[in-house]
Amino acid sequence: MKIKKLAIENYKYFCSLEGSDYIASEFALETILKLIKEFNLSDILEIGLGIGSVSDTILKFSKLNRLDIKYVGTESNEFCLKALPKNVQNYDEIQLFPELNDVISKRFDLIIIDGLDLSLKQIEQYCAVNAILFIEGGREDQTKSILSIFPKSLFVNVITLKKNPPYAHESRSVNSYIGGGQLIFINPTFKMKLFWARQKALTFIKRKIRKNFK
């Protein structure tokens, strides 16, 4: 199954579930899957599993492509903890902890920040040398906090020109753009620098188009 198709289908499915107000957008899901494929990422940490839209999508992608992904996630909300086993097809493959500080010491290739965790200031100890961080949505305060920890990192706000579909979560307006995310390369390789540069250029162009078509 193609990345875009999986992202759209899974997003649409999670939009129909109770507690869908704070799920990741289909563009965010697609971006995360592209990162996993492009950089062969296998050790993944998601901070704030929510009701499982990100973890379910990634683990399905892993199965479909026979990848060896090790998935760790944090969640402490009781509603979400009850929803996860029902919503995530490969739930048993998630190593679950209440908060970041509870995670067994390990270094991750990809860290997805999809919720509030006051222990984010400790995130450096969980990053592999060339780790990629993806912050879903706007989350300006969290982005600033992460960038202060990694002042030499490369950062880009990834966006899309697509607008919300009729089935979008939170009953979002079909006249508004789908939410994006914040992409951070803490110690980029040459390949990551090229990827970042391309995303910076695309974001610049997309912002110009958005401005001209208001």
Side-chain angles (χ1 to χ4, degrees):
M1 184 183 294
K2 292 184 178 180
I3 285 176
K4 186 183 292 292
K5 184 178 180 182
L6 175 58
I8 291 173
E9 287 185 1
N10 240 37
Y11 172 72
K12 190 171 184 179
Y13 167 68
F14 273 86
C15 281
S16 69
L17 301 179
E18 186 180 2
S20 65
D21 286 356
Y22 302 104
I23 63 173
S25 70
E26 62 183 50
F27 175 70
L29 295 175
E30 182 182 347
T31 301
I32 291 168
L33 295 184
K34 286 181 177 178
L35 288 170
I36 292 171
K37 181 180 180 181
E38 181 74 18
F39 297 105
N40 194 28
L41 306 174
S42 58
D43 288 302
I44 299 175
L45 168 64
E46 182 184 356
I47 301 173
L49 287 163
I51 65 169
S53 64
V54 175
S55 55
D56 184 64
T57 303
I58 291 175
L59 290 172
K60 281 178 179 174
F61 181 71
S62 175
K63 290 291 185 184
L64 288 168
N65 293 278
R66 298 180 180 178
L67 304 178
D68 182 23
I69 287 180
K70 300 173 183 66
Y71 208 94
V72 176
T74 69
E75 187 55 66
S76 58
N77 179 276
E78 286 299 323
F79 173 81
C80 293
L81 290 172
K82 291 178 180 177
L84 283 166
K86 294 182 286 186
N87 297 344
V88 180
Q89 186 171 305
N90 300 289
Y91 173 77
D92 291 343
E93 295 187 21
I94 299 175
Q95 192 174 5
L96 179 62
F97 297 91
E99 297 178 351
L100 181 60
N101 283 336
D102 299 309
V103 175
I104 297 172
S105 183
K106 186 177 180 178
R107 302 284 180 167
F108 297 91
D109 303 317
L110 173 63
I111 299 179
I112 302 159
I113 301 168
D114 198 19
L116 179 64
D117 192 316
L118 299 178
S119 57
L120 271 180
K121 59 185 178 180
Q122 308 296 331
I123 200 168
E124 187 173 8
Q125 70 188 63
Y126 297 99
C127 293
V129 175
N130 304 115
I132 300 172
L133 278 62
F134 182 80
I135 304 174
E136 197 280 324
R139 303 184 190 278
E140 186 176 338
D141 291 341
Q142 288 171 312
T143 302
K144 286 181 178 178
S145 176
I146 297 297
L147 291 176
S148 69
I149 297 171
F150 303 105
K152 295 182 180 180
S153 62
L154 292 179
F155 160 71
V156 57
N157 171 215
V158 289
I159 62 173
T160 179
L161 292 176
K162 292 184 178 180
K163 295 190 176 182
N164 291 307
Y167 52 82
H169 66 296
E170 296 184 297
S171 300
R172 295 187 179 190
S173 171
V174 294
N175 296 314
S176 299
Y177 291 104
I178 293 173
Q182 321 303 319
L183 183 56
I184 301 170
F185 298 94
I186 68 167
N187 184 34
T189 62
F190 180 71
K191 183 178 180 180
M192 290 175 179
K193 289 177 181 178
L194 291 177
F195 186 90
W196 168 82
R198 182 172 182 272
Q199 295 305 314
K200 286 286 284 188
L202 286 172
T203 295
F204 177 79
I205 293 168
K206 289 173 184 176
R207 288 195 187 283
K208 288 286 187 181
I209 293 173
R210 282 187 178 190
K211 185 177 180 181
N212 292 332
F213 285 90
K214 277 188 176 180

